[in-house]
Amino acid sequence: MYNTTPPKRSDLPSSNQLKRSTFIAALSALAILVAVVLPSEYGLDPSGAGRVLGLTEMGDIKTQLAKEQAADVAASAEEQDLQKNIPAVSSRLISRVDDIERKLAELMQEQQTVSTTGTERIRQAEAAVERVSQALAQPEPIMKNDQITIQLNPGQGTEVKMAMLEGKAAAFRWTANGSVLNYDTHGEGNGRSISYVKGRGVPQDEGQIVAAFDGNHGWFWRNRTNSPVTLFLQVRGEYESFKRVK
């Protein structure tokens, strides 16, 4: 080292040469960055040289791998957070399930109670409907009204009859208008006859005839006084016809 001859000043590079060398080195580094580093590391190829050299594909692969690694890290962190929260979440789920099961049991019990009550109400409703149906099935009785006025001379008699079916009824009222009459309330038909009630010297009468059988049912009056008598008769009931026989 001590035997080395120092260089002459004329052999050293000048300031301009150093600046030019530095500039060239910077340009070379920039060219390498644009043409090699950016395509191969980041998949960026502004000059197009990286695609020609096949470096852009390498950068794309590295970038994709970096994204996948970042995604794996994020997923791993999320999984760790989930595992930390699993005990608390499980506890809440179990509590929620217990609440749901309890409410379901209460609803089932209420359903059974409502079902029992509803069944009884349905039976009552069906019975009421049945009664109404039976009532509607029975025809309404045809009620008739009639009246008649008859002048009876001394010793004269008359008869008024209603054609009636067995069990049918007719209400009546008659009056001798201040006088009196003998009468016989009776019925006949199909070879049968019946006398319901008789009277002598009766000024008036009222009541109901219930037919004992199918036939003609009514009254016979006779005036046993010495003066004319005006008979007035009113009837209302379930009879087929009403007429004066004689």
Side-chain angles (χ1 to χ4, degrees):
M1 178 176 180
Y2 294 102
N3 294 326
T4 301
T5 302
K8 297 179 181 180
R9 180 177 296 273
S10 59
D11 294 333
L12 295 175
S14 64
S15 297
N16 291 331
Q17 289 177 337
L18 290 173
K19 291 179 181 179
R20 186 172 57 254
S21 297
T22 302
F23 180 73
I24 292 172
L27 287 177
S28 299
L30 180 61
I32 294 172
L33 175 66
V34 172
V36 178
V37 176
L38 289 179
S40 63
E41 295 295 331
Y42 305 102
L44 300 176
D45 189 16
S47 66
R51 191 173 303 278
V52 174
L53 297 175
L55 299 175
T56 303
E57 184 178 358
M58 182 187 301
D60 291 339
I61 293 174
K62 289 182 178 180
T63 303
Q64 182 65 31
L65 290 175
K67 290 181 180 179
E68 291 178 356
Q69 183 177 4
D72 291 341
V73 171
S76 177
E78 184 177 353
E79 183 178 357
Q80 290 178 358
D81 292 339
L82 180 59
Q83 289 178 352
K84 291 179 181 178
N85 294 328
I86 282 177
V89 173
S90 300
S91 178
R92 290 196 297 270
L93 287 176
I94 293 173
S95 178
R96 183 60 177 166
V97 170
D98 291 340
D99 291 341
I100 293 174
E101 290 180 347
R102 184 173 62 257
K103 290 181 179 179
L104 285 175
E106 293 175 355
L107 287 175
M108 291 179 64
Q109 185 175 1
E110 292 178 359
Q111 181 69 21
Q112 292 175 353
T113 303
V114 171
S115 177
T116 303
T117 305
T119 302
E120 182 62 26
R121 290 180 178 176
I122 290 173
R123 290 199 192 98
Q124 295 176 357
E126 289 177 346
V129 170
E130 180 66 21
R131 290 193 296 270
V132 172
S133 299
Q134 292 177 355
L136 292 176
Q138 297 177 355
E140 288 289 332
I142 300 176
M143 305 298 292
K144 294 185 178 181
N145 293 276
D146 284 284
Q147 62 183 31
I148 190 171
T149 301
I150 303 173
Q151 183 75 29
L152 295 176
N153 294 321
Q156 184 182 359
T158 188
E159 190 172 11
V160 176
K161 292 291 180 66
M162 299 175 293
M164 302 177 68
L165 298 177
E166 182 178 353
K168 299 301 182 181
F172 68 89
R173 178 181 180 277
W174 64 263
T175 176
N177 289 294
S179 187
V180 293
L181 290 169
N182 297 345
Y183 75 95
D184 178 11
T185 305
H186 62 284
E188 66 270 349
N190 298 323
R192 302 175 63 183
S193 63
I194 185 173
S195 178
Y196 296 107
V197 63
K198 295 180 179 181
R200 298 175 64 85
V202 179
Q204 63 184 31
D205 190 25
E206 63 180 285
Q208 179 176 261
I209 294 178
V210 179
F213 46 80
D214 295 350
N216 296 314
H217 303 265
W219 304 264
F220 176 78
W221 293 273
R222 186 177 294 278
N223 178 9
R224 291 298 186 183
T225 69
N226 296 323
S227 301
V229 175
T230 301
L231 169 67
F232 177 71
L233 170 66
Q234 289 179 309
V235 294
R236 171 180 170 79
E238 301 175 74
Y239 52 86
E240 305 298 317
S241 63
F242 174 88
K243 64 181 179 179
R244 179 180 179 183
V245 178
K246 61 179 180 181

